[in-house]
Amino acid sequence: MFHFKRLALGLAMAFGALSGAQAATVTISCGSVGQDFEFCKKHTEEWSKKTGHTVKLFTIPNSTTDILALFRQMFAAQSSDLDVLNVDVVWPGVIKDHLVDLKKYSKGVEKEHFPAIVANNTADGKLLAMPWFTDAGLLFYRKDLVEKYGQKAPATWEELATVARKIQDGERAAGAADFQGFVFQAKAYEGLTCDAVEWLSSFGGGNIVDASGKVTVNNPNAVAALKTAHSWIGTIAPTGVLNYAEEDARGVFQNGKAAFMRNWPYAWSLGNGADSTIKGKIGVLPLPKGGANGKNAATLGGWQLAVSKYSKNPDAAADLVMYMTSKEVQKERAVKGSYNPTINALYQDKDVLAANPFFGSLYDVFTSAVPRPATVTGLKYPEVSSAFWNATHDVLSGKASAEDSLKKLEGRLNQIKRNKW
Ligand code: GLC
């Protein structure tokens, strides 16, 4: 019996090889922020065991801006070093020529994912990437400290500044000299574009470029938004914030050194981790409104997985993408890592909701998040975004007034646009 089994196994393996299903080595990049690497390792190993293929993890920089630069270099060289790549929600229009159409592999499963994200990942009828997780900007805060100082959770940026100041003054007076009111992302990179899109939008200042392609960024509400953000630097936020990305802000907040933090949902799970000093003390709110007539605005973020056109193993690579973006994997990432699923049904899953109560209470924040103007500006989005974050950084650092900087930016964006996007 035993020998028979071994023979059967041997035959099956030989048959596999003959039919062309040889084991392949697939290289994937998953990101390196928070728990990205750890989850990537676990899930790729699972797939590897199931399929007999080998997976190699490709290390990439933290910043989405640097990752895009790296991928563009690899595409230019038609490099086959990377088979599966992580794709920021603002990239499909920029890198679409270098990705494989996943339609024949997905077999319609994309219909379970948020339609807007699937549409964002589709170009010329081709499904260029499978949604992996979605993101929206959130306000994390220290519930215990807001209570300790007899304050209310803020609804407007003005209230946030007042509450942050009170807590900061109190904590500093009590001996925590480096305590901060508010931390966020203000380094000159894509993350600042995300934060500043929220400020503009919350003040009714539009979205840099409107849906028709018109440059709208130079307007009084946008000026008011940037002036407000400038007023935080060196008052409720450290000047060091001008060099903060997501992980820098999280480091300060998670060490118990800040009252408020703007960040993405992944910060929830880590902030409540066993080794976190603020475990159980974190509240999550929509980002504040820009004054009485303003609105809550969260920038839409998120990542997809795609197969490079230069991959030597596109079939195995696509199979890995389908596994990594599956309901099973998305559920585990949501429960253990607070990565927002892109599969609507998971927002009703009781384990997902128990681990992340705000996935339910702030559901609208996720479904109505503001996209950056990537679709309308297409291939030119990276230039648009970098002009915008630099103009914003100049205001925050006091190099230029909001009025001058936005006027100059308007000219620069029209130059990038020329006649059309
Ligand atoms: C997050 C978002 C992504 C965004 C980036 C900016 O990773 O998911 O869309 O571009 O942050 O730093």
Side-chain angles (χ1 to χ4, degrees):
M1 192 59 189
F2 178 68
H3 290 288
F4 177 73
K5 261 197 188 158
R6 276 230 303 233
L7 178 69
L9 186 68
L11 281 174
M13 282 170 70
F15 181 75
L18 283 174
S19 68
Q22 282 109 326
T25 298
V26 174
T27 305
I28 181 172
S29 64
C30 289
S32 53
V33 169
Q35 306 183 84
D36 285 350
F37 191 82
E38 204 178 307
F39 279 112
C40 190
K41 189 161 182 294
K42 174 168 194 294
H43 295 129
T44 53
E45 275 169 8
E46 283 168 14
W47 177 81
S48 185
K49 269 203 197 104
K50 265 190 218 195
T51 60
H53 296 309
T54 304
V55 182
K56 279 200 194 142
L57 305 189
F58 189 91
T59 310
I60 50 172
N62 267 344
S63 149
T64 176
T65 303
D66 299 338
I67 305 170
L68 180 61
L70 172 68
F71 287 175
R72 289 178 109 178
Q73 271 174 20
M74 294 180 78
F75 292 146
Q78 307 204 347
S79 164
S80 60
D81 290 352
L82 195 52
D83 301 288
V84 175
L85 50 133
N86 55 334
V87 173
D88 196 339
V89 68
V90 286
W91 300 350
V94 183
I95 62 170
K96 60 178 172 12
D97 293 342
H98 308 282
L99 306 176
V100 166
D101 183 1
L102 298 174
K103 272 255 165 72
K104 80 169 186 198
Y105 303 101
S106 71
K107 304 193 183 83
V109 81
E110 68 274 16
K111 294 198 183 76
E112 292 175 18
H113 296 253
F114 289 126
I117 303 180
V118 175
N120 183 69
N121 296 354
T122 306
D124 312 322
K126 292 184 190 143
L127 179 62
L128 298 174
M130 277 302 291
W132 191 27
F133 66 98
T134 186
D135 257 343
L138 298 170
L139 184 68
F140 294 87
Y141 74 105
R142 288 286 299 281
K143 277 193 308 197
D144 58 322
L145 294 180
V146 166
E147 203 175 298
K148 174 174 166 191
Y149 290 92
Q151 300 297 306
K152 272 198 337 236
T156 63
W157 290 113
E158 212 182 330
E159 286 172 20
L160 177 133
T162 310
V163 180
R165 189 73 207 223
K166 281 225 165 81
I167 300 178
Q168 180 180 287
D169 288 350
E171 292 298 293
R172 285 187 185 179
D178 54 352
F179 193 90
Q180 308 299 335
F182 182 35
V183 290
F184 50 95
Q185 296 74 44
K187 181 179 168 167
Y189 79 121
E190 185 64 28
L192 176 55
T193 290
C194 295
D195 288 35
V197 159
E198 285 157 357
W199 306 331
L200 259 60
S201 186
S202 72
F203 274 85
N207 199 11
I208 313 170
V209 175
D210 74 11
S212 75
K214 188 169 177 256
V215 174
T216 59
V217 77
N218 185 18
N219 68 73
N221 290 336
V223 168
L226 292 195
K227 278 190 189 294
T228 300
H230 177 227
S231 74
W232 304 329
I233 311 292
T235 56
I236 56 168
T239 47
V241 83
L242 294 170
N243 211 18
Y244 277 15
E246 286 82 358
E247 287 291 84
D248 305 295
R250 187 175 67 81
V252 175
F253 186 70
Q254 201 169 308
N255 274 328
K257 300 287 189 196
F260 292 93
M261 168 178 74
R262 184 271 177 212
N263 217 323
W264 307 102
Y266 84 100
W268 169 258
S269 161
L270 290 159
N272 285 307
D275 60 346
S276 167
T277 41
I278 54 166
K279 183 175 170 15
K281 297 177 177 167
I282 310 168
V284 189
L285 290 169
L287 287 160
K289 294 182 185 179
N293 302 321
K295 57 177 183 192
N296 301 111
T299 294
L300 175 71
W303 291 82
Q304 343 299 314
L305 289 176
V307 175
S308 161
K309 211 165 97 178
Y310 313 107
S311 164
K312 298 221 165 82
N313 295 298
D315 292 346
D319 193 65
L320 176 58
V321 167
M322 296 318 297
Y323 179 67
M324 297 292 280
T325 58
S326 67
K327 200 167 171 184
E328 174 190 350
V329 171
Q330 287 208 4
K331 177 169 172 172
E332 187 171 9
R333 288 170 53 91
V335 172
K336 298 191 184 149
S338 59
Y339 291 96
N340 277 67
T342 59
I343 297 173
N344 207 0
L346 287 173
Y347 288 81
Q348 267 97 57
D349 183 288
K350 63 175 182 357
D351 302 328
V352 171
L353 291 174
N356 311 281
F358 65 95
F359 279 15
S361 58
L362 300 185
Y363 181 71
D364 289 352
V365 171
F366 300 113
T367 52
S368 63
V370 182
R372 285 157 275 173
T375 305
V376 66
T377 57
L379 270 173
K380 293 179 179 174
Y381 175 74
E383 273 178 280
V384 168
S385 183
S386 93
F388 177 62
W389 80 56
N390 283 322
T392 303
H393 200 269
D394 283 351
V395 176
L396 297 181
S397 60
K399 264 200 207 136
S401 70
E403 289 88 347
D404 289 352
S405 194
L406 290 182
K407 184 155 185 275
K408 200 169 129 204
L409 174 65
E410 180 182 37
R412 173 84 189 105
L413 293 179
N414 279 319
Q415 222 175 38
I416 296 171
K417 177 181 176 185
R418 272 188 235 119
N419 300 322
K420 65 176 181 58
W421 291 112

